[in-house]
Amino acid sequence: DIVLTQAPLSVSVTPGESASISCRSSKSLLSSKGITSLYWYLQRPGKSPQLLIYQMSNLASGVPDRFSSSGSETDFTLKISKVETEDVGVYYCGHRLEYPLTFGSGTKLEIK
Amino acid sequence: QVKLLQSGAALVKPGDSVKMSCKASGYTFTDYIIHWVKQSHGKSLEWIGYINPYSGGTNYNEKFKSKATLTVDKSSSTAYMEFSRLTSEDSAIYYCARSNFFDYWGQGVMVTVSS
């Protein structure tokens, strides 16, 4: 199974500043179709997860452009610019390259 | 708008089964596969499996193969997951999610296994 390792475990950010979250894959997530199969989700407290980023760098519908993602075949970074209080929650990376699908262990973002 | 409405919380006894539902609306049900995900308290997400509402075809995580059964009722645009031989380890929130992008999620079903 593909293992996704996220860091840090938690991050505390002052509103208006930036935050970065890392996700490292145990295997290349570049598919034979040339698509990097890495996704980012945000789970706000008490809510269901929501899709933020698909195929490594594409913003999901309705997601503010303060969110961005980049990476290589195995190392990925989610960046949140100008953090707002509504960004609080747990961020998960996940892959869709092969089965079983797996997720990272999550990074908790808190506001200072 | 797209919605996935899941059934209510369940309190079940060890050894029993539970069947939960995920009713889709706002799109053509047979156009997208439905995934199921487990989230134990305070923990990460585990993929259970998916079902293709059009064909009924399924794919399960090996870990849940003997535990979960996925079905659909196309007439009511509803996906179901039955979890059998429940133990305390199965106490968790279970989500359904649409498509390989997991672009829409249900609100989750909290299952508590307790005698």
Side-chain angles (χ1 to χ4, degrees), chain B residues 44-100:
Chain B
S44 185
L45 307 164
E46 277 187 288
W47 177 73
I48 296 169
Y50 76 73
I51 185 163
N52 182 330
Y54 179 79
S55 63
T58 55
N59 188 354
Y60 293 92
N61 186 332
E62 202 64 39
K63 178 179 177 179
F64 295 100
K65 228 169 191 171
S66 60
K67 176 73 74 172
T69 303
L70 305 181
T71 56
V72 294
D73 175 2
K74 286 191 274 191
S75 68
S76 63
S77 298
T78 303
Y80 297 93
M81 180 173 72
E82 184 166 16
F83 238 56
S84 60
R85 298 182 299 280
L86 292 165
T87 71
S88 58
E89 295 292 306
D90 299 317
S91 292
I93 297 176
Y94 294 88
Y95 295 100
C96 59
R98 189 187 82 156
S99 90
N100 276 341

Side-chain angles (χ1 to χ4, degrees), chain B residues 11-25:
Chain B
L11 172 61
V12 293
K13 290 183 169 36
D16 282 356
S17 298
V18 65
K19 190 172 184 177
M20 61 194 79
S21 64
C22 170
K23 183 172 175 58
S25 61

Side-chain angles (χ1 to χ4, degrees), chain A residues 18-51:
Chain A
S18 295
S20 290
I21 297 169
S22 165
C23 176
R24 177 166 289 178
S25 174
S26 61
K27 178 178 175 177
S28 169
L29 297 184
L30 181 63
S31 74
S32 57
K33 296 180 181 178
I35 292 170
T36 305
S37 189
L38 188 278
Y39 296 71
W40 288 99
Y41 301 88
L42 164 60
Q43 186 173 32
R44 294 189 171 100
K47 300 293 185 185
S48 305
Q50 66 172 96
L51 176 66

Side-chain angles (χ1 to χ4, degrees), chain B residues 18-38:
Chain B
V18 65
K19 190 172 184 177
M20 61 194 79
S21 64
C22 170
K23 183 172 175 58
S25 61
Y27 72 98
T28 302
F29 181 57
T30 50
D31 281 353
Y32 298 88
I33 63 176
I34 294 286
H35 290 271
W36 290 85
V37 174
K38 176 184 178 183

